[in-house]
Amino acid sequence: MVETISADEFRDRIDARRRGDRSFTVVDTRPEESFEGWRVADAVHYFYKPFHEFDLADFERETGLSPGDSVVTLCAKGKASEDFAAELAAAGYEDVTVVADGMRGWSAVYDRTEVPLPDAPDDAPPLDLVQVQRRAKGCLGYLAVGGREPGEADHVPAGTPADDADGADRVAVADPDGADRIAVAIDVSRHGDEWVTAAAERDASIAAVVDTHVHADHLSGGRALADDLGVPYYLPAAAADRDVAHAFEPIGRNETLDVGGVDLKALATPGHTDDGASYLIGGAAVLTGDTLFTEGVGRTELQFSASGGDESTAAGDGDEGAAGAARRLYDSLHGTLLAQPDDVVVCPGHFAVANDGTTGGVEPGEPVFTTVGDARRGIEVLDLDRPAFVDRITRTLPEKPPNYESVIAANRGVESPPDVTAAIELELGPNRCAAEPDAGSAADDD
């Protein structure tokens, strides 16, 4: 008998296998090119096409499997692997499971986990920071939850005098709908329900939605979630220069959102893109988007190598290309992010997922973070001076994210996938937003 499980149940089984509580082999039946480009870690490949003769001896020779083994079958959409599982069951395999929706389903699997923060003063308002992990792509979003009683969440314009900070210059961004706490969602994917669920788990109301930049590797769900909730959607003010077509509230350098009594301050950190911003939350953590990761820094050419609209500056020379962006990235890193206190927690926008599905030292489901001090001491490229840094970042460019030009266009609001299926196809594959960690190695990878 063949069992069918959801992608979330598949995630749980993988975690159980990692703990030593289960044993099974994942057999991926997609074409070899698809398998080599992106797969689940430790999967084995056996190409299967429905309605073609199944050669059991060939399968067992290639995979080393036998009827006594536990097998999980996986394909692109769940159809071919379902037929393949039936073939295995007919051949005497008694423990066969199919992952519904295949890699499409796997692409939409999430984990939610709390980020540990340094101890705060006794009189500081409560702050929770939830990391929303998209496991198969390595994309990271956040929910910052403050502790204020029901009331307004405010946008403090840049330049507001400190003694007027509680005055009429504040602009209300949302009504918290009677929830006990107030939250802001950051770098939301198109699966915005994950952020809504995270807020509900903490009896919080999402008062605003914010993106760190115009993303190149995944479709942002920020605008859609803000519309659904009837709250403001913020992009860094510099996004206006990228001809973003959909409506957004600009948040400029040093502007602040009040998140239940906790400040969320926008730090301009251009480099990965010209509009890039990081968000300092309560002085405890900084959400760095694709500027600074736990083991590296962002790549700098994606905005400039895309075509159409403002992205056509790609071929530009001087400060319009990857080298100019790398110089800006160096300044953002050393002049802004590394200038924060050593114990500030660094929360990146991605962790690395290799084509073979491995995640290096990251254990999915556990929080992905570092600190400013550990990043300064542990990330080798941050030891370089400005010219050497620019040379390192631009010398060897990693493989680009799949469909990145169309993803950028969609996130700028100038194109739109015609349906959910098209959106799924547009996003398939891991993120590739980090600069090449070793300029002498082959390109690989948020």
Side-chain angles (χ1 to χ4, degrees), residues 172-199:
V173 297
D175 185 315
D177 297 328
D180 289 339
R181 307 183 70 188
I182 292 173
V184 169
I186 303 100
D187 283 347
V188 175
S189 76
R190 62 185 178 84
H191 306 102
D193 57 315
E194 293 288 337
W195 282 256
V196 173
T197 299

Side-chain angles (χ1 to χ4, degrees), residues 135-226:
R135 182 177 288 213
K137 289 184 66 66
C139 298
L140 301 174
Y142 296 89
L143 185 80
V145 186
R148 191 169 59 193
E149 292 298 318
E152 292 179 338
D154 301 318
H155 176 206
V156 184
T160 300
D163 55 358
D164 290 336
D166 293 318
D169 285 335
R170 288 191 174 216
V171 180
V173 297
D175 185 315
D177 297 328
D180 289 339
R181 307 183 70 188
I182 292 173
V184 169
I186 303 100
D187 283 347
V188 175
S189 76
R190 62 185 178 84
H191 306 102
D193 57 315
E194 293 288 337
W195 282 256
V196 173
T197 299
E201 289 171 346
R202 289 153 184 84
D203 197 18
S205 174
I206 296 176
V209 181
V210 183
D211 266 319
T212 54
H213 64 293
V214 176
H215 298 277
D217 72 307
H218 70 276
L219 296 173
S220 170
R223 175 75 266 175
L225 180 60

Side-chain angles (χ1 to χ4, degrees), residues 117-125:
L117 300 175
D119 292 337
D122 291 340
D123 59 351

